[in-house]
Amino acid sequence: QKMEWQSEIVVYLPGLFLLALGIAFKRFPPEKINRWVGFRTEFSMKNQETWDEGNRYSANCMIASAIVDLLAVGYL
């Protein structure tokens, strides 16, 4: 019984991590095209405009996915 609250917290960790990552990328997007951090696809790395849009969109998707995950876990 002592471990019950800990196991309940663990199911929220992926959603919380994804939410934190999405917020971080939204607030501090990678400014320059690089091969290490950011939304890296062949198309998004073609020019700065597609890089900025791809990273903005992926940050919003991360946040939305995290919210859906947290809501779904809350209903289980």
Side-chain angles (χ1 to χ4, degrees):
Q1 291 191 9
K2 209 174 198 183
M3 295 289 284
E4 276 185 37
W5 67 271
Q6 292 170 337
S7 62
E8 288 180 20
I9 289 174
V10 169
V11 297
Y12 288 100
L13 289 179
L16 292 172
F17 178 73
L18 191 61
L19 182 62
L21 195 60
I23 291 170
F25 272 108
K26 191 169 182 78
R27 288 193 50 136
F28 309 106
E31 294 179 10
K32 296 180 181 172
I33 299 171
N34 66 77
R35 296 211 176 263
W36 300 101
V37 177
F39 183 70
R40 301 176 315 269
T41 65
E42 188 177 326
F43 182 75
S44 71
M45 296 175 75
K46 283 194 183 281
N47 61 50
Q48 191 65 43
E49 185 179 346
T50 58
W51 176 257
D52 293 339
E53 178 63 21
N55 281 285
R56 184 198 63 76
Y57 181 75
S58 66
N60 290 335
C61 287
M62 276 191 262
I63 292 169
S65 298
I67 291 169
V68 168
D69 179 64
L70 291 170
L71 289 173
V73 169
Y75 284 110
L76 293 178

